[in-house]
Amino acid sequence: IAASDPTGGAGLQADILTLASLGCHPLSVLTAYTVQDTRGVAALHAVPAADLVAQARCVLADAPALAIKIGVVGSAANAQAIAELLAEHAQVPVVLDPVLASARGDALGDEGTLHALRELLVPRATVATPNSMEARALGGAAAMIARGCRYVLVTGTHEPGDEVVNTLHGAAGVVQEDRWPRLPGSFHGSGCTLASAIAARLAHGDEVPEAVRRAQDYTWCALERGYRPGAGQHVPDRLHAR
């Protein structure tokens, strides 16, 4: 459940590539379409909430999902609609990537969307994958878990240092901390890749800590083999295992 990115670097296209490469069949529900290139986002246009719901109910009635991944929601109304859909499929694990801005800093949601993410979607998530800036905007990992999210993986890509430190939090505190060598360059779609890889591993039956560990390994390898299709950021090679 995500927005379209015509560059294929992030969004729905990145989710589909990641899930397919990890042995899953992706079912896609569009929340918004964007006008963007590999340098940044010029515009985002949310689909009406009723259309989002119609897409999801139609496809889920035909092919039940083993996991649900949520990216850019497009609007507060869409966040509310997604929350209602998740309530109808409460047994399915949910990976929430609470995207608030592009890598360049272009806003992908307003204050109403942030509020809806925090109040409606965070409580229904099995795993949320905010970067450190998004985690702070949502009140921090402890607050997110207190709202009902089972696990919060805070990624350190926006923090300084030669290593990227990703920390998985649970109800009892820190579950695990993984350190990865920081790669040179700027990447488009790394968060989408990581969240979708976690969803894929959950669909395959992994427990959350193992799903998170294996998804990080996949994502780092995809970034290491990343390439630059346009004039802007690099994108992960999600088919690196081919």
Side-chain angles (χ1 to χ4, degrees), residues 101-154:
S102 72
R104 189 176 69 173
D106 309 297
L108 296 173
D110 56 17
E111 283 298 317
T113 306
L114 173 62
H115 178 79
L117 279 170
R118 184 173 56 241
E119 301 298 325
L120 301 175
L121 295 183
V122 166
R124 296 196 175 276
T126 307
V127 188
T129 62
N131 61 41
S132 54
M133 297 169 61
E134 292 162 346
R136 285 191 283 271
L138 291 166
M144 294 172 71
I145 289 169
R147 289 185 183 278
C149 186
R150 285 181 55 203
Y151 293 91
V152 177
L153 176 65
V154 180

Side-chain angles (χ1 to χ4, degrees), residues 22 127 129 151 153 155 166-168 175-180 193-195 197-202 206-221 240:
L22 290 173
V127 188
T129 62
Y151 293 91
L153 176 65
T155 61
N166 299 331
T167 307
L168 181 64
V175 176
Q176 64 194 42
E177 184 179 272
D178 297 294
R179 295 175 177 270
W180 302 90
T193 305
L194 176 60
I198 293 172
R201 294 313 322 167
L202 293 176
D206 288 359
E207 295 296 326
V208 169
E210 178 68 5
V212 166
R213 185 195 64 77
R214 296 179 71 175
Q216 288 180 84
D217 181 69
Y218 166 86
T219 302
W220 192 88
C221 290
H240 62 79

Side-chain angles (χ1 to χ4, degrees), residues 46-75:
V47 305
D51 292 346
L52 186 159
V53 170
Q55 293 176 75
R57 288 196 171 134
C58 183
V59 74
L60 288 171
D62 179 52
L66 295 176
I68 295 173
K69 186 266 182 182
I70 302 167
V72 169
V73 299
S75 67

